Amino acid sequence: MSNMTTPNACPFCSSSNNCGVNREAACWCNNVEIPAQLIDLLPAEAKNKACICLECINTFTNDPTSFTAKHSGI
């Protein structure tokens, strides 16, 4: 994860998170369950600052152990 938290970049992979929080329609993440364990991997200063992208959510869901090992020191 990069040290700079930006609202349009995933805090894990830095790719676009396609956040729709400022759009007229609801954000895609309103329809996706984001595991609490994934949110717990974020440092405190990154929580509620940027959306996690769907690819990282799916990667974590498919293999939480590997994802955690890769991102536990961010």
Side-chain angles (χ1 to χ4, degrees):
M1 182 170 99
S2 78
N3 292 336
M4 299 277 297
T5 301
T6 59
N8 296 321
C10 174
F12 290 107
C13 69
S14 299
S15 295
S16 174
N17 56 26
N18 295 313
C19 184
V21 72
N22 293 320
R23 295 183 195 144
E24 219 171 281
C27 185
W28 62 267
C29 69
N30 290 328
N31 299 316
V32 175
E33 184 174 337
I34 303 170
Q37 299 90 342
L38 178 57
I39 295 169
D40 289 344
L41 289 176
L42 293 169
E45 64 273 7
K47 290 181 182 177
N48 299 313
K49 303 290 185 206
C51 291
I52 301 167
C53 74
L54 186 57
E55 186 172 339
C56 283
I57 294 168
N58 289 335
T59 300
F60 177 85
T61 301
N62 291 330
D63 190 353
T65 302
S66 291
F67 190 93
T68 300
K70 182 177 180 181
H71 296 286
S72 63
I74 57 174

